[in-house]
Amino acid sequence: MGLDPSIVKELIRITDEERVLLSLDERYTYAFDASFGTYLPDVVVFPQSATEIAEIMKLANREQIPVTPRGGGTSLSGGPLPVAGGIVLAMTRMNKLLRIDRDNLIAFVEPGITTAELQREAEKAGLFYPPDPSSSNVSTIGGNLAENSGGPHGLKYGVTKHYVIGLEVVTPQGEIIRTGGMTVKNVTGYDLTSLIVGSEGTLGIITKAVLRLIPKPPARKALMAIFDEIVDSGRAISGILKNGILPAKLEMMDQASIRAVENYQPSGLPLDAAAILLLEVDGHPAAVDEEIRKAAQICRQYAAREVRLAADEAERAELWKARKLVSPAISQVKPTKISEDATVPRSKIPEMLERLRQIREKYQLHLVVFGHAGDGNLHPNIIADSRDRDEMKRVEEAVAEIFKAAVELGGTLSGEHGIGTMKPAFMEMELGSAGLDMMRRIKQAWDPNNILNPFKIFPQPGQTRVVLTE
Amino acid sequence: MGLDPSIVKELIRITDEERVLLSLDERYTYAFDASFGTYLPDVVVFPQSATEIAEIMKLANREQIPVTPRGGGTSLSGGPLPVAGGIVLAMTRMNKLLRIDRDNLIAFVEPGITTAELQREAEKAGLFYPPDPSSSNVSTIGGNLAENSGGPHGLKYGVTKHYVIGLEVVTPQGEIIRTGGMTVKNVTGYDLTSLIVGSEGTLGIITKAVLRLIPKPPARKALMAIFDEIVDSGRAISGILKNGILPAKLEMMDQASIRAVENYQPSGLPLDAAAILLLEVDGHPAAVDEEIRKAAQICRQYAAREVRLAADEAERAELWKARKLVSPAISQVKPTKISEDATVPRSKIPEMLERLRQIREKYQLHLVVFGHAGDGNLHPNIIADSRDRDEMKRVEEAVAEIFKAAVELGGTLSGEHGIGTMKPAFMEMELGSAGLDMMRRIKQAWDPNNILNPFKIFPQPGQTRVVLTE
């Protein structure tokens, strides 16, 4: 194993010695992400410019070495895993916020900046960058773009791709191209920006991005509604949206999530409730006041047994704390957490919840459900122990059934985590062979040597299962 | 010229006799759009299903016959022109609104429905489909999707692509695929939906679309601000946006537009004004009241000599009438109207206006400027007479300079009309050869026989000019 010394020498020539990691322990740090599997790269390189990356891609094509770009490594689907070894391009040193242009409401960034830093800088300028994946303190904008990250704001504000108007990209064969530009309106040729965003690092390496910002909403208010029947919480969601209210966030937690949180850090949540909805509206203060009152009334109308209105910012933060604690809380139950993001049309949420209940019983698993109910993007999480082979086999089957349920209900395998190494086996079920073939044609046309982030998105021949173990 | 009788027979077998037009006068009706040039198709077919279109595409590939899909024929860039003859697929009989799903805030439509009809149906359901190209009474949703149409609402609400979440598409080689789905969040593979939207009918024929709707804003108010200096109107635009107001529409008219309108239909516009801004805000009534007052104040602060606030819906409609009259008014001046849509970052609008003034003087042309100033999408229109060869030569040079100015100012050739037959010669100037090559690779991978809408977007070898004459 290992790269030919002449190639290492060339990588050092393109960058410098300090930016090429070769030792086993250093490489090991870049062998995993927040999903499953450990794949050791042969070398980790920290590029500092598009030109360096272009040179590396040309070298990689000449020598047939796989290249995997990597941001914060928070992917839940295996995006940055160097499955075939080769070169990991760690983008974290290209982390400058180049400029916030208040006149044009745009930000120019390098890919290695964290999502949270961009959000803070936008806020300082009185502006707002809505996409809010929960890993925002660690995840990079480059990773968010590669995966088209979502988050709670998706319901009202859309997802990452709705805020990307231009890119600088190094193609798989090492050309530097620019896509889109500085204007929201742009129909000059095919929309390569949207094609590259969400392509999970398989079609190009983003080296610069132009992001659209919006004016910061001047006010926001939140409430928590507690339900005895999960189906009532689903009806309340539809009721709110039908009444012309578009909340900034509309999240739900099922009983298992509520209990996990209370067990982890008592927060005054009702242990006997079937479901909790957390809702936030933002905008003009008068609109916010009226909408939060109306939303509370609708929740009560759909049999919420209690509605807690946050009176101020402190209480608002307190309400959201419960939701933020779900992930750490459930991680305490067992060591292995399989976080899914199958997404259904919002009207199908009650049916999806019922299907998830059946799957939990059939496979006798610890399955917790929470997530972005307002846009149909639930997070069924299975808590297991990866050392228990029998349990993991049941997990794999349960996950396959979750995907099947989502697709049968008119939904999709993945709302915001991506396909990566975890879900390729199920692509054809959703897309059909012709649909998948049209995607594959693009990959082949752009990356004829299959150098850039191989083994992602597209199933290998005979691949039929979820990748939970190597 | 003319198709082999056996092919005509096969087209009739796939559809039926009544849906295959062969006579010269019938074919002539489908030989032009709202741009330039007349290209006679060999046959016009009215498909009624994706299956029929798939069969036609397979036949066309086998026999190497070009196919051009067509909606309302309102394209300003030549999208539906059958440049190489062959088959025109007139999509106007696939015009059903299949369903408005209020629970999920989505509409299912066939491509032949007009934009205005969809807007009306959405409104009846208390919902809102924001994209508003000015041809909406005639243009079809299929055409809007193919061209990624914009309109005044682009500033606040984005453009057509922001409202398309799923498609059924017949590929150039005659496979029926589905892209996206019924959820806003969907990261299952490449975003083929966004790739096909705006591809000007060169990558697939849209046979069904799933469109996202939003709650209808409960209130709206409009104002007109009159400026003696064009540069002040530009500053007012920046001032409004910097103050956290995101108007639903923010349009401008220059002196030439104002005079054309007053000459055509006196509307009480000030003939001596340098520019008019028309602004509308929508949303919660309290927010709307406050924002319109604030916007008026900002306009005055930037030297507007007069601000007219519409007191009610009737006055509001009256204000917008002036803007709607610009196109018909300028068409009265001379018979040939060349409508451009070069778009610049909004902060560059004053500079772009100055460049347009210089171009007008240099080429001694009747150049009128109006458009969507809020998002940088201006419409410089040149009014000429296509029988005057010398004038048309100057028009061609002026248009080339307009494109050059837009790109130099960080903008784009086309904000909402598309490239079509009009702008291919300038693609490389904006995208570079590598960027254009990545687009071409997709076209070749999807349509290896170059059957679907050829001679659009991509320049022919040696093509250097605007297509204003055949």
Side-chain angles (χ1 to χ4, degrees):
Chain A
M1 213 226 56
L3 289 179
D4 190 280
S6 71
I7 290 165
V8 173
K9 220 168 136 183
E10 209 163 337
L11 287 170
I12 291 171
R13 182 192 60 73
I14 295 169
T15 59
D16 64 47
E17 199 139 8
E18 178 260 334
R19 292 193 275 129
V20 176
L21 306 186
L22 289 161
S23 77
L24 182 64
D25 55 338
E26 284 173 322
R27 285 186 289 132
Y28 189 75
T29 312
Y30 296 86
F32 51 84
D33 63 6
S35 71
F36 288 82
T38 308
Y39 304 89
L40 202 61
D42 295 311
V43 59
V44 179
V45 181
F46 292 83
Q48 282 181 344
S49 72
T51 321
E52 286 182 1
I53 296 171
E55 270 203 79
I56 293 169
M57 290 316 296
K58 282 179 180 156
L59 167 67
N61 273 276
R62 198 187 71 209
E63 303 290 338
Q64 302 279 309
I65 306 165
V67 176
T68 304
R70 181 187 178 93
T74 57
S75 174
L76 292 162
S77 60
L81 294 178
V83 175
I87 301 167
V88 160
L89 283 185
M91 302 297 289
T92 41
R93 294 210 193 170
M94 291 179 68
N95 63 349
K96 280 195 280 296
L97 172 75
L98 300 167
R99 187 157 57 97
I100 287 191
D101 176 344
R102 286 191 64 209
D103 281 333
N104 292 305
L105 304 181
I106 51 186
F108 298 82
V109 298
E110 286 190 335
I113 186 176
T114 64
T115 318
E117 191 186 340
L118 169 66
Q119 286 166 337
R120 278 193 301 270
E121 293 296 325
E123 205 150 326
K124 277 189 211 161
L127 299 173
F128 182 36
Y129 176 72
D132 54 348
S134 66
S135 53
S136 58
N137 283 313
V138 187
S139 69
T140 64
I141 283 293
N144 287 182
L145 266 60
E147 302 290 336
N148 186 19
S149 301
H153 277 139
L155 171 60
K156 178 170 180 177
Y157 292 106
V159 294
T160 299
K161 73 172 169 186
H162 298 116
Y163 296 87
V164 190
I165 57 174
L167 295 174
E168 180 188 78
V169 175
V170 179
T171 71
Q173 294 182 295
E175 300 294 330
I176 301 171
I177 64 170
R178 274 166 202 83
T179 73
M182 290 167 64
T183 61
V184 171
K185 283 182 174 171
N186 180 323
V187 292
T188 297
Y190 301 155
D191 183 359
L192 299 187
T193 308
S194 295
L195 180 64
I196 290 161
V197 172
S199 69
E200 306 190 6
T202 66
L203 293 181
I205 298 146
I206 296 166
T207 50
K208 220 174 273 175
V210 190
L211 305 174
R212 182 168 75 93
L213 305 173
I214 59 174
K216 187 168 152 19
R220 57 186 178 184
K221 284 210 164 156
L223 65 76
M224 175 188 287
I226 299 162
F227 292 86
D228 285 328
E229 298 292 338
I230 208 157
V231 66
D232 289 331
S233 68
R235 286 191 192 125
I237 292 169
S238 283
I240 289 160
L241 292 160
K242 272 194 191 165
N243 274 276
I245 300 171
L246 195 59
K249 307 183 195 177
L250 182 41
E251 301 283 301
M252 71 93 64
M253 290 166 58
D254 75 349
Q255 192 174 59
S257 326
I258 296 167
R259 290 184 177 178
V261 168
E262 278 302 300
N263 201 38
Y264 175 64
Q265 198 176 114
S267 311
L269 302 181
L271 289 169
D272 61 332
I276 281 174
L277 289 186
L278 289 158
L279 175 148
E280 184 165 303
V281 290
D282 65 7
H284 186 276
V288 161
D289 279 344
E290 190 182 308
E291 285 179 356
I292 200 81
R293 270 204 312 273
K294 206 162 141 191
Q297 185 193 327
I298 293 165
C299 286
R300 283 190 204 100
Q301 189 180 322
Y302 286 98
R305 78 170 193 217
E306 189 189 338
V307 178
R308 298 180 187 170
L309 262 143
D312 52 33
E313 268 294 306
E315 282 188 32
R316 185 194 143 273
E318 189 61 28
L319 280 192
W320 283 110
K321 212 183 78 185
R323 171 67 181 82
K324 291 214 175 85
L325 285 173
V326 179
S327 256
I330 60 179
S331 298
Q332 301 294 309
V333 181
K334 282 188 177 185
T336 309
K337 182 161 76 86
I338 297 96
S339 174
E340 288 306 333
D341 64 325
T343 301
V344 295
R346 127 182 6 108
S347 67
K348 300 290 183 190
I349 285 182
E351 223 169 316
M352 186 65 178
L353 290 169
E354 174 54 21
R355 296 281 284 263
L356 291 170
R357 195 190 57 73
Q358 289 165 8
I359 292 168
R360 171 165 46 206
E361 283 183 13
K362 179 171 171 189
Y363 294 103
Q364 291 293 310
L365 290 165
H366 199 98
L367 183 110
V368 175
V369 186
F370 58 95
H372 320 308
D375 57 23
N377 180 203
L378 295 174
H379 289 307
N381 273 242
I382 302 176
I383 317 303
D385 185 337
S386 62
R387 291 160 302 185
D388 182 340
R389 306 296 290 185
D390 175 66
E391 188 183 43
M392 290 309 278
K393 218 178 123 36
R394 282 181 287 130
V395 171
E396 276 188 1
E397 283 173 34
V399 169
E401 280 204 32
I402 291 172
F403 295 152
K404 195 160 159 271
V407 172
E408 281 175 9
L409 295 175
T412 182
L413 297 176
S414 181
E416 56 183 20
H417 295 172
I419 302 302
T421 56
M422 300 284 287
K423 310 184 189 89
F426 304 91
M427 289 290 277
E428 198 170 316
M429 174 178 74
E430 180 170 336
L431 300 167
S433 61
L436 188 56
D437 173 57
M438 297 316 272
M439 291 186 186
R440 201 179 263 122
R441 289 187 193 200
I442 297 173
K443 173 66 175 170
Q444 284 164 351
W446 279 35
D447 185 14
N449 296 318
N450 197 27
I451 286 297
L452 190 60
N453 211 4
F455 297 95
K456 307 295 164 70
I457 301 178
F458 299 102
Q460 300 304 306
Q463 190 176 347
T464 59
R465 62 181 193 85
V466 189
V467 177
L468 295 180
T469 47
E470 291 98 294
Chain B
M1 209 228 58
L3 289 180
D4 190 279
S6 71
I7 290 166
V8 173
K9 221 167 135 185
E10 208 164 336
L11 287 170
I12 292 172
R13 182 193 59 73
I14 295 170
T15 59
D16 65 44
E17 199 140 6
E18 178 260 334
R19 292 194 277 127
V20 175
L21 306 185
L22 289 162
S23 76
L24 182 65
D25 54 339
E26 284 173 322
R27 286 186 287 130
Y28 189 74
T29 312
Y30 296 85
F32 50 84
D33 63 5
S35 72
F36 287 82
T38 306
Y39 304 89
L40 202 62
D42 295 310
V43 59
V44 179
V45 181
F46 291 84
Q48 282 180 347
S49 73
T51 321
E52 285 182 1
I53 296 170
E55 271 203 78
I56 293 169
M57 291 316 296
K58 281 179 181 156
L59 167 67
N61 273 275
R62 198 187 71 209
E63 303 290 339
Q64 303 280 310
I65 306 164
V67 176
T68 304
R70 180 187 178 93
T74 57
S75 174
L76 292 162
S77 60
L81 294 178
V83 175
I87 301 167
V88 160
L89 284 184
M91 303 296 291
T92 41
R93 295 209 192 171
M94 291 179 68
N95 63 350
K96 281 196 281 297
L97 172 76
L98 300 167
R99 187 157 58 95
I100 288 192
D101 177 344
R102 287 190 62 209
D103 281 331
N104 292 305
L105 305 181
I106 51 187
F108 299 82
V109 298
E110 287 191 333
I113 187 176
T114 64
T115 318
E117 192 187 340
L118 169 67
Q119 286 165 338
R120 277 192 302 269
E121 293 297 323
E123 205 150 325
K124 277 189 211 163
L127 299 173
F128 181 38
Y129 176 72
D132 54 349
S134 65
S135 52
S136 59
N137 282 314
V138 187
S139 68
T140 64
I141 284 292
N144 287 182
L145 265 60
E147 301 290 336
N148 186 20
S149 302
H153 277 139
L155 170 60
K156 177 170 181 177
Y157 292 106
V159 293
T160 299
K161 72 172 172 187
H162 297 116
Y163 296 88
V164 190
I165 58 175
L167 295 175
E168 180 188 79
V169 174
V170 179
T171 69
Q173 293 183 296
E175 300 294 329
I176 301 172
I177 64 169
R178 274 166 203 84
T179 72
M182 290 167 63
T183 61
V184 172
K185 284 183 174 172
N186 181 324
V187 291
T188 296
Y190 302 155
D191 184 0
L192 299 188
T193 308
S194 296
L195 180 64
I196 290 162
V197 172
S199 68
E200 306 190 7
T202 66
L203 293 181
I205 298 146
I206 296 166
T207 50
K208 221 174 272 173
V210 190
L211 304 174
R212 183 167 75 93
L213 304 173
I214 60 174
K216 188 169 150 20
R220 57 185 179 186
K221 285 209 165 157
L223 65 75
M224 175 188 285
I226 298 162
F227 292 86
D228 285 328
E229 298 292 339
I230 207 156
V231 67
D232 289 330
S233 68
R235 285 191 193 127
I237 292 169
S238 284
I240 288 161
L241 292 160
K242 272 194 191 164
N243 274 276
I245 300 170
L246 195 59
K249 307 183 196 178
L250 183 41
E251 302 283 301
M252 72 91 65
M253 291 167 60
D254 74 348
Q255 191 172 59
S257 325
I258 297 168
R259 290 184 177 179
V261 169
E262 279 301 300
N263 201 39
Y264 176 63
Q265 196 175 115
S267 310
L269 301 182
L271 289 170
D272 60 332
I276 281 175
L277 288 186
L278 288 157
L279 174 147
E280 184 165 303
V281 290
D282 65 7
H284 186 275
V288 161
D289 279 345
E290 190 182 308
E291 286 179 356
I292 200 82
R293 270 204 311 273
K294 207 161 138 190
Q297 186 194 327
I298 293 165
C299 287
R300 284 190 202 99
Q301 189 180 320
Y302 287 99
R305 78 172 192 217
E306 188 189 341
V307 177
R308 299 179 187 172
L309 262 144
D312 52 32
E313 269 294 306
E315 281 189 33
R316 185 193 144 273
E318 190 60 30
L319 278 192
W320 282 110
K321 212 182 78 183
R323 171 66 179 83
K324 290 212 176 82
L325 286 173
V326 178
S327 255
I330 59 178
S331 297
Q332 302 294 309
V333 181
K334 280 188 180 186
T336 309
K337 180 160 79 85
I338 297 96
S339 174
E340 288 306 335
D341 64 325
T343 300
V344 295
R346 112 176 29 96
S347 66
K348 300 289 185 190
I349 285 181
E351 222 168 315
M352 186 66 181
L353 290 169
E354 173 55 22
R355 296 282 283 263
L356 291 170
R357 196 191 55 74
Q358 289 166 8
I359 292 168
R360 172 167 45 208
E361 283 184 12
K362 179 170 172 189
Y363 295 103
Q364 290 294 307
L365 290 166
H366 198 98
L367 184 113
V368 176
V369 186
F370 58 96
H372 320 308
D375 56 23
N377 179 203
L378 294 174
H379 289 308
N381 273 241
I382 302 177
I383 317 303
D385 185 338
S386 61
R387 293 160 300 189
D388 182 340
R389 306 295 290 184
D390 175 67
E391 187 181 44
M392 289 311 277
K393 218 178 123 32
R394 282 181 286 130
V395 171
E396 275 187 3
E397 282 173 37
V399 169
E401 280 204 33
I402 291 173
F403 296 151
K404 195 159 159 271
V407 172
E408 280 175 8
L409 294 175
T412 182
L413 297 177
S414 180
E416 55 183 21
H417 295 170
I419 302 302
T421 55
M422 300 284 286
K423 310 184 189 90
F426 305 91
M427 288 290 278
E428 199 170 315
M429 172 178 75
E430 179 170 336
L431 299 167
S433 62
L436 188 56
D437 174 57
M438 297 316 272
M439 291 186 187
R440 202 180 262 122
R441 289 187 194 201
I442 296 172
K443 172 65 174 171
Q444 284 165 350
W446 279 35
D447 185 12
N449 296 318
N450 196 26
I451 287 297
L452 190 59
N453 211 4
F455 296 96
K456 307 294 165 70
I457 299 178
F458 299 102
Q460 301 303 307
Q463 189 177 347
T464 57
R465 61 180 194 87
V466 189
V467 177
L468 295 180
T469 46
E470 292 98 295

